Amino acid sequence: MASDNIYLPYLMKVDGVRDETRDVRTLRLKFARDEDAAQFSFKAGQFGEYSVFGAGECTFCIANPPTRAGFIECTFRKAGRVTKALRDLEVGDTAGFRGPYGNVFPIESWYGKSVLFIAGGIALPPMRCVIWNCLDLRDKFKDITVVYGARTVGDLVYKDELREWSERSDMKLIQTVDPGGETPDWRGQIGFVPTVLEKAAPASADTIAVVCGPPIMLKFTFPVLDRLGFARASVYTTMENRMKCGVGKCGRCNVGGVYICKEGPVFTAEQVARMPAEY
Amino acid sequence: MAMLLAKKNLRALLRGAMDRKYRVVGPVREHGIVLFAEMSDPGALCLDELNTQNSIKEFFFPKTEKLFTYSLGKNDAAVADDFAPPRTVLIGGRACDARSLVALDRLFGWDYKDKFYFARREATCVITLACDRFDEACFCTSLGFGPRAAEGSDILLVPVEGDEYAVEAVTDKGRALIAEVKDVFTEGTPGAEKVAYPEKKFDLAAVKPWLERNFEHPIWKEEFLSCLGCGTCTYQCPMCHCFDIVDEGDIHGGARCKNWDSCQFALFTLHTSGHNPRPAQAARWRQRLRHKFVYYADKFGTEACVGCGRCIRNCPVCLSILDKLVLIGREAAAAPAQPAGAQP
């Protein structure tokens, strides 16, 4: 993307395909040109525009951590024209990528603290990048806790990684599914994420909370974190709104005067509280 | 002494530009409607109407812009971008139109630079006509400028007594064009200016603070219930700049395009999950007003409205942004902001 055309994507090759659930898939993309790969870098929290030529572009966060670079991953649910086309890609096929865009999680400023991750459903992918980033720098942090819930057991993404996290002794994983979403052999919790979080009552002292989920989950999770004693400036989220350009032009993703693509997607709960209720 | 252009020489000016291989865009009558369009004959220039139906933005930010083409082979893929806009003379815009360009420059140049917009800007010489009349939808003066403002123009033509225009060369680009076609101009003392100023209709300084205070207010529902969500206002607006990015083509080849979009459409903000942050038309109108008078002003130091009145003249249900701004001005005067510290 040495071009002055800000809409021109990098050419990517599909390097790996992994099914997470029946309708959620992860693609691993590698740069088609070595010079692009050499000069590309990103940080946890940033997003990009992924495209299939002939179908269009879609906005997703970069789901792999910058500590494991050389490729980018996106995890998406098949929902519309572009995600269907992305899903139809096979290893070796060509895709497009523009990015990285947006701001980042200030991970360096969390060194020495505990980190609590809270994610719902398909919102684990934006969080996975940060979780692995922290795990790859494990000695920089105190406790690492992940609370993750989905509608049903089948809707939990990254099942292999959840297993790995649940077996690690240097972190804690609390998994939950919505009532009715459990299977006979389900050993996790049953209940909505905010409820399970409140019951688990993780310590708030010297702890950063990172929340990602649909708007309704944020709405119910922030008050729980308030009650658990988290300062709103220590609670981070990554917001997603419908987006097209990613570079502050197309006028679509704003919440009030805040452009998610430019000033975000990473915000503190304090910043979110100042936004009009239009997200 | 000043430079003058006889009105009868306007077409000679355009002919001169065409002879020098400029593309000429100006108001022409098509199917009974006066529109900005590319002209092949200077005789088609139509200055009957105060304002064209479309704005000049489409000659800088087209309805559809090819961002690049792509071709995919079995083992290779390529993207190409051979964008080169034609050298253009754009005549017949008003001071409001020209001002919109200066305001749009800030958005398209903010951080990431949109080369398509700026290449067209650089390739286009804007010749603006100061207004000798106005109608009830005009409100440039309420926005702090007026019908003979030169901002955004390369050449400003001000009508004066004696069927002439006083010629103001505003930029180097304008001066260069004048030098190229200098035979059509004369030197002389201009007569009195025939410029018509609409009266000021609301207090702009009161609008932004009122909008900031009243995200929730009954007027959003009461005043905007009749909106159909057709998006005409945003398409005719010289300042509205929201766009979509879509692919046109198939897996073998095609183009990625930037197309106009509108915040007045329900789909504009609809999430994949079905959640819509702006679920009702009232919220979309509020967005339109707040974007123009709060968000854009905060980010770019100017309103995203130039008072051209196109959205008012073309609204199918006669919803007038001017009426609403006047109403907001009245509301603001009736309920002024509490002084700081007086709030609980």
Side-chain angles (χ1 to χ4, degrees):
Chain A
M1 217 156 44
S3 161
D4 55 350
N5 184 347
I6 56 174
Y7 305 102
L8 202 64
Y10 293 113
L11 287 176
M12 311 297 287
K13 287 274 177 207
V14 177
D15 190 49
V17 173
R18 190 173 82 174
D19 280 321
E20 307 293 352
T21 74
R22 69 195 152 75
D23 58 357
V24 175
R25 177 171 280 188
T26 298
L27 290 184
R28 175 175 291 203
L29 305 174
K30 281 199 163 167
F31 291 89
R33 282 190 291 255
D34 293 340
E35 61 267 33
D36 290 342
Q39 63 91 33
F40 181 83
S41 71
F42 70 98
K43 286 191 159 181
Q46 293 192 290
F47 67 93
E49 295 291 336
Y50 297 77
S51 58
V52 178
F53 296 102
E57 291 186 316
C58 246
T59 314
F60 308 112
C61 65
I62 301 173
N64 56 300
T67 43
R68 300 174 186 197
F71 58 89
I72 49 170
E73 286 181 333
C74 65
T75 299
F76 58 93
R77 172 173 285 142
K78 176 182 155 186
R81 184 174 171 204
V82 180
T83 46
K84 179 183 182 301
L86 278 168
R87 199 184 163 86
D88 288 343
L89 292 178
E90 292 169 9
V91 172
D93 283 350
T94 297
F97 174 79
R98 287 194 290 128
Y101 298 133
N103 69 349
V104 304
F105 284 101
I107 290 178
E108 286 87 354
S109 72
W110 304 345
Y111 287 176
K113 297 184 178 180
S114 297
V115 190
L116 165 67
F117 295 96
I118 305 152
I122 188 95
L124 189 58
M127 200 111 304
R128 172 194 185 226
C129 160
V130 200
I131 295 172
W132 277 118
N133 198 157
C134 291
L135 289 175
D136 288 344
L137 305 167
R138 185 64 192 87
D139 56 343
K140 305 271 188 199
F141 304 95
K142 289 203 283 195
D143 298 343
I144 290 181
T145 309
V146 176
V147 179
Y148 175 51
R151 234 172 282 167
T152 70
V153 174
D155 289 314
L156 295 163
V157 299
Y158 304 136
K159 290 188 178 69
D160 292 346
E161 287 161 63
L162 291 174
R163 190 172 311 119
E164 186 181 336
W165 294 344
S166 69
E167 287 163 2
R168 279 178 79 135
S169 57
D170 60 349
M171 66 174 292
K172 190 175 171 190
L173 173 68
I174 300 170
Q175 299 183 72
T176 182
V177 294
D178 291 356
E182 70 274 23
T183 49
D185 59 346
W186 176 243
R187 297 192 189 282
Q189 309 271 319
I190 297 170
F192 297 109
V193 169
T195 322
V196 169
L197 172 70
E198 189 150 26
K199 212 164 60 185
S204 59
D206 223 15
T207 303
I208 297 293
V210 189
V211 192
C212 190
I216 189 80
M217 195 194 100
L218 295 185
K219 194 180 152 192
F220 287 104
T221 304
F222 285 154
V224 170
L225 290 169
D226 286 345
R227 286 197 290 276
L228 292 173
F230 284 86
R232 289 207 164 178
S234 309
V235 176
Y236 290 83
T237 185
T238 165
M239 295 182 80
E240 296 195 353
N241 249 359
R242 195 170 176 141
M243 218 178 260
K244 293 290 176 176
C245 72
V247 291
K249 311 281 178 229
C250 80
R252 189 177 305 264
C253 67
N254 66 301
V255 180
V258 176
Y259 275 71
I260 303 284
C261 67
K262 292 283 295 165
E263 286 115 294
V266 176
F267 297 97
T268 62
E270 199 177 27
Q271 291 169 317
V272 173
R274 284 201 294 270
M275 295 177 187
E278 223 177 24
Y279 55 87
Chain B
M1 295 289 270
M3 197 183 298
L4 298 170
L5 175 67
K7 284 192 178 170
K8 64 177 166 41
N9 275 350
L10 257 187
R11 288 174 177 79
L13 165 64
L14 301 186
R15 168 57 63 200
M18 285 179 185
D19 289 347
R20 283 163 186 82
K21 304 290 178 228
Y22 280 95
R23 174 179 73 144
V24 173
V25 170
V28 297
R29 191 177 289 281
E30 278 178 9
H31 309 294
I33 298 169
V34 178
L35 292 166
F36 279 113
E38 185 172 344
M39 297 163 62
S40 51
D41 170 19
L45 183 72
C46 174
L47 300 176
D48 300 349
E49 301 280 333
L50 168 65
N51 239 332
T52 50
Q53 185 150 22
N54 58 343
S55 77
I56 62 174
K57 85 174 167 196
E58 67 185 74
F59 298 96
F60 302 91
F61 165 42
K63 286 172 198 162
T64 290
E65 177 97 82
K66 207 180 271 184
L67 299 172
F68 59 84
T69 55
Y70 66 86
S71 59
L72 301 182
K74 216 172 172 60
N75 295 308
D76 60 328
V79 289
D81 149 28
D82 52 1
F83 175 69
R87 227 164 49 123
T88 300
V89 168
L90 193 156
I91 192 165
R94 301 298 190 175
C96 47
D97 293 314
R99 185 186 171 90
S100 72
L101 298 175
V102 179
L104 280 178
D105 287 350
R106 300 181 191 175
L107 169 97
F108 284 114
W110 178 41
D111 196 352
Y112 293 89
K113 194 169 168 183
D114 184 308
K115 73 161 187 173
F116 298 94
Y117 173 84
F118 284 104
R120 290 178 192 281
R121 277 285 271 144
E122 276 155 35
T124 305
C125 183
V126 178
I127 308 178
T128 298
L129 299 182
C131 301
D132 55 2
R133 68 211 129 124
F134 58 83
D135 70 12
E136 72 283 355
C138 291
F139 59 103
C140 55
T141 51
S142 305
L143 294 170
F145 69 109
R148 76 178 300 304
E151 200 188 9
S153 302
D154 296 298
I155 300 172
L156 177 67
L157 301 178
V158 182
V160 293
E161 291 294 344
D163 267 346
E164 287 180 312
Y165 295 106
V167 181
E168 288 181 17
V170 184
T171 64
D172 287 343
K173 206 185 332 175
R175 279 184 279 277
L177 179 69
I178 288 171
E180 278 190 88
V181 289
K182 57 180 182 300
D183 297 348
V184 302
F185 300 99
T186 55
E187 292 276 317
T189 309
E193 288 192 1
K194 290 172 33 180
V195 178
Y197 290 78
E199 68 172 304
K200 205 174 153 226
K201 289 168 181 156
F202 60 89
D203 176 16
L204 178 64
V207 169
K208 183 168 179 278
W210 189 92
L211 287 170
E212 283 169 338
R213 284 199 307 279
N214 292 285
F215 186 77
E216 301 295 344
H217 193 281
I219 76 160
W220 300 124
K221 268 189 189 145
E222 288 163 9
E223 295 293 326
F224 300 106
L225 207 56
S226 59
C227 179
L228 305 173
C230 69
T232 298
C233 49
T234 54
Y235 280 23
Q236 312 288 31
C237 179
M239 280 300 308
C240 280
H241 52 265
C242 293
F243 60 84
D244 194 1
I245 296 176
V246 298
D247 280 17
E248 292 182 3
D250 55 29
I251 55 163
H252 306 296
R256 184 156 297 157
C257 300
K258 183 168 95 176
N259 294 339
W260 287 1
D261 206 339
S262 171
C263 63
Q264 298 303 298
F265 299 154
L267 267 177
F268 188 69
T269 49
L270 183 69
H271 287 195
T272 306
S273 64
H275 170 70
N276 195 338
R278 292 200 278 273
Q281 205 57 32
R284 291 169 209 137
W285 245 98
R286 176 176 60 196
Q287 161 67 17
R288 179 166 145 75
L289 273 170
R290 285 174 62 100
H291 189 192
K292 289 188 178 301
F293 291 92
V294 181
Y295 313 148
Y296 207 85
D298 279 342
K299 274 206 159 51
F300 303 118
T302 182
E303 291 74 32
C305 172
V306 292
C308 70
R310 286 188 178 86
C311 57
I312 303 171
R313 293 181 204 105
N314 292 301
C315 179
V317 294
C318 301
L319 253 175
S320 158
I321 196 169
L322 175 57
D323 288 353
K324 305 312 169 198
L325 291 165
V326 170
L327 173 71
I328 286 171
R330 274 207 307 271
E331 291 274 339
Q338 300 287 318
Q343 274 161 357

